[in-house]
Structure formats: C-alpha cells, structure tokens
Amino acid sequence: MSSQEPVIVVIEDDPPIRRFLRTGLGSHGFKVFEADTGQRGIIEADTRKPDLIILDLGLPDMDGITVVKAVREWSQTPILILSARDAEQQKIDTLDAGADDYLTKPFSLGELLARIRVALRHASRTPGNDPSGIFVAGDLKVDLQNRRVYLKDQEVTLTPIQYRLLSVLVKHAGKVLTHHQLVTEVWGPSHGDCLHYPKIYMSQLRQKLEEDPAHPQHLVTVSGIGYRLKSD
C-alpha cells in the first residue's frame, strides 16, 4: 500500500453503485478510478497500479473470471468481488481464479471498508514477506520456518495434514479460500473431487485451535464457498 492516498480501481457498470463507491471511499481517504467495462477495467488496473481492485462480476463485455485471470497474469493486487446473491458458483470460480474476497449485493459501506482494510493489511504484510516466517493473530501464533503452532503461548501438536492445511490458510491469511483451492494445495490436484476433506480437517483444527469450536474466532466458514483465516 502506498504512503499517499491508497488507490482503488472500481470496475462496475452500474452508475449508482459507482457513485456510491466513489463518494463513500473518497470520504475515507481513498483515491478512486472507475471503469464500466471489463476491458476498460483491465486498462485502468494496468495504468493506475492500484492498491486494490473492486470488481463486479456482471459486466457487459466479459465475466469477472476473465478480468481476474487477466490481472493475475501480471499483478497480485488484491481483488474484492461484488456479486449478486444468485451467483454462488460464479463467485467460487472467480475465487479459484485468483480473487481475494467477495461481498454480496446489497452491502454496507462499513462492511466494504472492513474488507478493504483486511485486504490491504494482508497485501502489505504476509508471512512470505516476513523474514521470520511468523504469523500472529490474537492468541494464535504460527512459526512457518520451524513448523510450530502456539495457542496462548502453549505449543499445539498437529498432524502433518492438519499442519499443511493451517499453513496454506496462514499463507493466504485474510483471503477466502474455496474448498477446491484448499484440496488442490493441501492434498494435490489428483484429489480435486474430494471436496469434503477440508470440512473434516477444519473441524479437527478448530478442536485444537479454537476456544469454542462451535463459534470459531480464527478459522471462519464462508458459507457455500470455503474458509478464511482471520489475519487479526
């Protein structure tokens, strides 16, 4: 994130929503550039070098997946999806393609700002950028370099698969990971049809890492999509 006003490119074809975003984000210190088509949005993203992209899936010239894939060819800029309620599979496909998070329309400015803050924090400080390889969120600490996990300063023993699942979530902390993404990264592409695996092992992780597994504070379910590890 730049030291000046954070730059956001909004790719949205609905003028009232663009106006809402321009006004709301502008009043909170963001510099907003707009595009009403996917092609124009890709150009704006390339030209403006934004800190974050807000992308509507329902564009007139191309779908959101095409935009995400195009941007991901040259940039890891966080992409926050805006989606209609009846487009769950499209949201999953877009997250699998490389988007970071999504919001379902209608949404509040407060929730949007919260998601933006998380995405920008994640982009500016990831375990991969930390020479120590240590991730800390609340009472959870993961030492990737030494493969150790602590809860309230007490070391927690995980099985190899539990640790692999947690480490993938840590490396993408704050980002929604779909069931398919998790299966591919933890178990490998050959297990692509085993989408029940993350649910089983997530339940095990919560038993070890959550004070109340039924109401998790770290390992959060994104209904119908996948999971997110809270980054703070």
Side-chain angles (χ1 to χ4, degrees):
M1 191 169 63
S2 66
S3 59
Q4 307 300 317
E5 291 178 305
V7 173
I8 293 179
V9 166
V10 172
I11 309 174
E12 165 66 67
D13 67 324
D14 188 328
I17 293 180
R18 285 206 312 275
R19 184 167 57 250
F20 168 75
L21 294 173
R22 179 174 64 249
T23 302
L25 296 176
S27 68
H28 284 80
F30 294 97
K31 190 171 185 179
V32 179
F33 295 94
E34 303 170 35
D36 58 2
T37 66
Q39 187 60 47
R40 185 63 206 169
I42 293 169
I43 293 172
E44 285 291 308
D46 184 31
T47 303
R48 306 297 181 182
K49 301 295 186 292
D51 297 283
L52 182 134
I53 297 167
I54 295 177
L55 171 64
D56 176 26
L57 291 183
L59 298 169
D61 60 333
M62 63 179 69
D63 61 35
I65 294 175
T66 303
V67 177
V68 172
K69 289 181 176 179
V71 172
R72 283 293 174 256
E73 289 180 0
W74 47 268
S75 173
Q76 291 303 309
T77 299
I79 300 175
L80 174 60
I81 298 296
L82 302 181
S83 173
R85 289 184 181 278
D86 59 354
E88 183 171 285
Q89 185 57 50
Q90 192 172 19
K91 289 186 292 188
I92 292 173
D93 292 341
T94 308
L95 289 164
D96 279 338
D100 294 84
D101 199 357
Y102 78 91
L103 265 180
T104 300
K105 298 178 181 178
F107 55 88
S108 69
L109 179 60
E111 183 177 10
L112 174 63
L113 289 168
R115 298 293 184 89
I116 289 173
R117 288 192 294 269
V118 168
L120 294 180
R121 284 197 297 270
H122 176 235
S124 65
R125 54 172 180 84
T126 64
N129 294 331
D130 182 353
S132 69
I134 294 176
F135 170 84
V136 178
D139 57 9
L140 176 65
K141 176 181 175 181
V142 182
D143 183 343
L144 294 175
Q145 187 173 12
N146 296 302
R147 298 175 62 88
R148 293 180 179 275
V149 179
Y150 302 88
L151 186 68
K152 296 182 179 179
D153 296 323
Q154 298 295 313
E155 187 167 2
V156 179
T157 301
L158 301 180
T159 68
I161 292 180
Q162 289 169 356
Y163 179 79
R164 282 206 302 274
L165 176 58
L166 180 61
S167 66
V168 168
L169 290 163
V170 166
K171 290 171 184 176
H172 300 281
K175 177 179 177 178
V176 177
L177 293 179
T178 66
H179 297 99
H180 181 264
Q181 286 173 312
L182 288 170
V183 168
T184 299
E185 291 202 41
V186 177
W187 288 273
S190 63
H191 292 77
D193 59 345
C194 302
L195 298 182
H196 59 290
Y197 281 9
K199 182 177 180 180
I200 294 171
Y201 284 91
M202 186 63 68
S203 176
Q204 296 174 1
L205 274 182
R206 284 173 172 162
Q207 291 295 326
K208 293 184 176 182
L209 301 178
E210 298 284 0
E211 185 172 346
D212 181 0
H215 300 89
Q217 300 301 307
H218 300 295
L219 303 163
V220 180
T221 298
V222 182
S223 182
I225 307 294
Y227 300 95
R228 180 210 316 267
L229 173 63
K230 287 188 176 181
S231 58
D232 56 8

